[in-house]
PDB file of all heavy atoms in Angstrom:
ATOM      1  N   ARG A 344     -31.294  19.192  24.585  1.00  0.00           N
ATOM      2  CA  ARG A 344     -31.836  17.989  23.947  1.00  0.00           C
ATOM      3  C   ARG A 344     -33.271  18.268  23.523  1.00  0.00           C
ATOM      4  O   ARG A 344     -34.212  18.174  24.307  1.00  0.00           O
ATOM      5  CB  ARG A 344     -31.776  16.812  24.936  1.00  0.00           C
ATOM      6  CG  ARG A 344     -32.079  15.452  24.294  1.00  0.00           C
ATOM      7  CD  ARG A 344     -31.918  14.340  25.306  1.00  0.00           C
ATOM      8  NE  ARG A 344     -32.214  13.042  24.726  1.00  0.00           N
ATOM      9  CZ  ARG A 344     -31.346  12.293  24.060  1.00  0.00           C
ATOM     10  NH1 ARG A 344     -30.110  12.743  23.905  1.00  0.00           N
ATOM     11  NH2 ARG A 344     -31.675  11.109  23.574  1.00  0.00           N
ATOM     12  N   THR A 345     -33.418  18.636  22.250  1.00  0.00           N
ATOM     13  CA  THR A 345     -34.722  18.991  21.709  1.00  0.00           C
ATOM     14  C   THR A 345     -34.941  18.231  20.421  1.00  0.00           C
ATOM     15  O   THR A 345     -34.032  18.114  19.596  1.00  0.00           O
ATOM     16  CB  THR A 345     -34.799  20.509  21.426  1.00  0.00           C
ATOM     17  OG1 THR A 345     -34.431  21.225  22.603  1.00  0.00           O
ATOM     18  CG2 THR A 345     -36.205  20.908  21.005  1.00  0.00           C
ATOM     19  N   ALA A 346     -36.139  17.701  20.228  1.00  0.00           N
ATOM     20  CA  ALA A 346     -36.432  16.920  19.036  1.00  0.00           C
ATOM     21  C   ALA A 346     -36.465  17.817  17.798  1.00  0.00           C
ATOM     22  O   ALA A 346     -37.045  18.908  17.818  1.00  0.00           O
ATOM     23  CB  ALA A 346     -37.773  16.213  19.197  1.00  0.00           C
ATOM     24  N   TYR A 347     -35.837  17.346  16.724  1.00  0.00           N
ATOM     25  CA  TYR A 347     -35.889  18.037  15.441  1.00  0.00           C
ATOM     26  C   TYR A 347     -37.155  17.611  14.702  1.00  0.00           C
ATOM     27  O   TYR A 347     -37.575  16.454  14.784  1.00  0.00           O
ATOM     28  CB  TYR A 347     -34.671  17.676  14.584  1.00  0.00           C
ATOM     29  CG  TYR A 347     -33.433  18.446  14.932  1.00  0.00           C
ATOM     30  CD1 TYR A 347     -32.775  18.253  16.136  1.00  0.00           C
ATOM     31  CD2 TYR A 347     -32.901  19.380  14.046  1.00  0.00           C
ATOM     32  CE1 TYR A 347     -31.634  18.948  16.460  1.00  0.00           C
ATOM     33  CE2 TYR A 347     -31.751  20.092  14.354  1.00  0.00           C
ATOM     34  CZ  TYR A 347     -31.120  19.872  15.554  1.00  0.00           C
ATOM     35  OH  TYR A 347     -29.990  20.577  15.874  1.00  0.00           O
ATOM     36  N   PRO A 348     -37.779  18.524  13.961  1.00  0.00           N
ATOM     37  CA  PRO A 348     -38.938  18.123  13.146  1.00  0.00           C
ATOM     38  C   PRO A 348     -38.525  17.060  12.127  1.00  0.00           C
ATOM     39  O   PRO A 348     -37.452  17.138  11.528  1.00  0.00           O
ATOM     40  CB  PRO A 348     -39.344  19.433  12.447  1.00  0.00           C
ATOM     41  CG  PRO A 348     -38.756  20.527  13.284  1.00  0.00           C
ATOM     42  CD  PRO A 348     -37.497  19.970  13.863  1.00  0.00           C
ATOM     43  N   VAL A 349     -39.379  16.064  11.928  1.00  0.00           N
ATOM     44  CA  VAL A 349     -39.078  15.018  10.956  1.00  0.00           C
ATOM     45  C   VAL A 349     -39.175  15.604   9.552  1.00  0.00           C
ATOM     46  O   VAL A 349     -40.198  16.205   9.199  1.00  0.00           O
ATOM     47  CB  VAL A 349     -40.063  13.838  11.099  1.00  0.00           C
ATOM     48  CG1 VAL A 349     -39.786  12.770  10.038  1.00  0.00           C
ATOM     49  CG2 VAL A 349     -39.970  13.240  12.489  1.00  0.00           C
ATOM     50  N   PRO A 350     -38.129  15.478   8.727  1.00  0.00           N
ATOM     51  CA  PRO A 350     -38.198  16.016   7.358  1.00  0.00           C
ATOM     52  C   PRO A 350     -39.331  15.371   6.570  1.00  0.00           C
ATOM     53  O   PRO A 350     -39.638  14.182   6.742  1.00  0.00           O
ATOM     54  CB  PRO A 350     -36.834  15.640   6.764  1.00  0.00           C
ATOM     55  CG  PRO A 350     -35.946  15.396   7.939  1.00  0.00           C
ATOM     56  CD  PRO A 350     -36.830  14.863   9.017  1.00  0.00           C
ATOM     57  N   GLU A 351     -39.958  16.151   5.706  1.00  0.00           N
ATOM     58  CA  GLU A 351     -41.061  15.627   4.904  1.00  0.00           C
ATOM     59  C   GLU A 351     -40.609  14.439   4.062  1.00  0.00           C
ATOM     60  O   GLU A 351     -41.377  13.513   3.821  1.00  0.00           O
ATOM     61  CB  GLU A 351     -41.612  16.728   3.998  1.00  0.00           C
ATOM     62  CG  GLU A 351     -42.818  16.296   3.181  1.00  0.00           C
ATOM     63  CD  GLU A 351     -43.336  17.390   2.281  1.00  0.00           C
ATOM     64  OE1 GLU A 351     -42.835  18.529   2.383  1.00  0.00           O
ATOM     65  OE2 GLU A 351     -44.237  17.104   1.467  1.00  0.00           O
ATOM     66  N   LEU A 352     -39.343  14.453   3.636  1.00  0.00           N
ATOM     67  CA  LEU A 352     -38.823  13.346   2.842  1.00  0.00           C
ATOM     68  C   LEU A 352     -38.989  12.012   3.555  1.00  0.00           C
ATOM     69  O   LEU A 352     -39.282  10.983   2.926  1.00  0.00           O
ATOM     70  CB  LEU A 352     -37.335  13.604   2.541  1.00  0.00           C
ATOM     71  CG  LEU A 352     -36.572  12.511   1.784  1.00  0.00           C
ATOM     72  CD1 LEU A 352     -37.151  12.342   0.383  1.00  0.00           C
ATOM     73  CD2 LEU A 352     -35.094  12.859   1.711  1.00  0.00           C
ATOM     74  N   LEU A 353     -38.830  12.002   4.887  1.00  0.00           N
ATOM     75  CA  LEU A 353     -38.919  10.768   5.660  1.00  0.00           C
ATOM     76  C   LEU A 353     -40.357  10.324   5.905  1.00  0.00           C
ATOM     77  O   LEU A 353     -40.583   9.183   6.312  1.00  0.00           O
ATOM     78  CB  LEU A 353     -38.205  10.934   7.002  1.00  0.00           C
ATOM     79  CG  LEU A 353     -36.699  10.700   7.003  1.00  0.00           C
ATOM     80  CD1 LEU A 353     -36.105  11.033   8.357  1.00  0.00           C
ATOM     81  CD2 LEU A 353     -36.391   9.265   6.632  1.00  0.00           C
ATOM     82  N   THR A 354     -41.302  11.195   5.694  1.00  0.00           N
ATOM     83  CA  THR A 354     -42.697  10.823   5.925  1.00  0.00           C
ATOM     84  C   THR A 354     -43.327  10.180   4.690  1.00  0.00           C
ATOM     85  O   THR A 354     -44.458   9.717   4.744  1.00  0.00           O
ATOM     86  CB  THR A 354     -43.527  12.050   6.329  1.00  0.00           C
ATOM     87  OG1 THR A 354     -43.561  12.986   5.243  1.00  0.00           O
ATOM     88  CG2 THR A 354     -42.933  12.730   7.559  1.00  0.00           C
ATOM     89  N   ARG A 355     -42.588  10.170   3.576  1.00  0.00           N
ATOM     90  CA  ARG A 355     -43.059   9.549   2.348  1.00  0.00           C
ATOM     91  C   ARG A 355     -42.253   8.287   2.060  1.00  0.00           C
ATOM     92  O   ARG A 355     -41.133   8.133   2.538  1.00  0.00           O
ATOM     93  CB  ARG A 355     -42.931  10.512   1.165  1.00  0.00           C
ATOM     94  CG  ARG A 355     -43.604  11.863   1.362  1.00  0.00           C
ATOM     95  CD  ARG A 355     -43.622  12.657   0.066  1.00  0.00           C
ATOM     96  NE  ARG A 355     -42.285  12.863  -0.473  1.00  0.00           N
ATOM     97  CZ  ARG A 355     -41.537  13.934  -0.260  1.00  0.00           C
ATOM     98  NH1 ARG A 355     -42.006  14.914   0.505  1.00  0.00           N
ATOM     99  NH2 ARG A 355     -40.336  14.043  -0.793  1.00  0.00           N
ATOM    100  N   GLU A 356     -42.808   7.403   1.264  1.00  0.00           N
ATOM    101  CA  GLU A 356     -42.098   6.189   0.900  1.00  0.00           C
ATOM    102  C   GLU A 356     -40.837   6.539   0.129  1.00  0.00           C
ATOM    103  O   GLU A 356     -40.870   7.380  -0.778  1.00  0.00           O
ATOM    104  CB  GLU A 356     -43.005   5.297   0.039  1.00  0.00           C
ATOM    105  CG  GLU A 356     -42.387   3.955  -0.306  1.00  0.00           C
ATOM    106  CD  GLU A 356     -43.345   3.055  -1.051  1.00  0.00           C
ATOM    107  OE1 GLU A 356     -44.508   3.478  -1.251  1.00  0.00           O
ATOM    108  OE2 GLU A 356     -42.947   1.936  -1.427  1.00  0.00           O
ATOM    109  N   PRO A 357     -39.697   5.940   0.461  1.00  0.00           N
ATOM    110  CA  PRO A 357     -38.452   6.281  -0.242  1.00  0.00           C
ATOM    111  C   PRO A 357     -38.518   5.894  -1.709  1.00  0.00           C
ATOM    112  O   PRO A 357     -39.016   4.819  -2.067  1.00  0.00           O
ATOM    113  CB  PRO A 357     -37.386   5.463   0.509  1.00  0.00           C
ATOM    114  CG  PRO A 357     -38.133   4.369   1.189  1.00  0.00           C
ATOM    115  CD  PRO A 357     -39.486   4.921   1.508  1.00  0.00           C
TER     116      PRO A 357
END
Side-chain angles (χ1 to χ4, degrees):
R344 190 177 179 85
T345 307
Y347 279 68
V349 177
E351 183 181 353
L352 176 64
L353 276 174
T354 64
R355 306 189 303 265
E356 184 175 358

